[in-house]
Amino acid sequence: DELHLALPSMYSAPAAAELAERFPATHVALTHLDDTTRVGGLVDFLVGAELPLSYVSKGAGGLEPADALDLASLVLP
């Protein structure tokens, strides 16, 4: 079974860690990627917590499977 925790992309790493502690999940879905360009802290948290990123959402388009290259383009210039 999988449990996906939806994390808004504008959360800080400490806020994400607190939420993940309260709601243990097997995967993370990043939401609101269209609201920020600063997701490095969350990506760092995901790597450290060993939580796989399953889905992302950008606006009203709904959830879509996470793509490593798309996410890397948000972290690296």
Side-chain angles (χ1 to χ4, degrees), residues 33-60:
L33 276 176
D34 56 325
D35 289 340
T36 186
T37 59
R38 299 174 187 205
V39 296
L42 275 179
V43 171
D44 189 44
F45 160 72
L46 292 174
V47 170
E50 297 181 356
L51 284 170
L53 181 60
S54 55
Y55 296 97
V56 296
S57 76
K58 302 174 191 170

Side-chain angles (χ1 to χ4, degrees), residues 58-73:
K58 302 174 191 170
L63 289 172
E64 57 188 52
D67 180 271
L69 292 177
D70 285 345
L71 194 59
S73 71

Side-chain angles (χ1 to χ4, degrees), residues 5-29:
L5 175 64
L7 280 177
S9 60
M10 53 282 223
Y11 269 29
S12 66
E18 182 179 327
L19 191 61
E21 183 178 313
R22 293 178 62 205
F23 300 101
T26 60
H27 295 74
V28 169

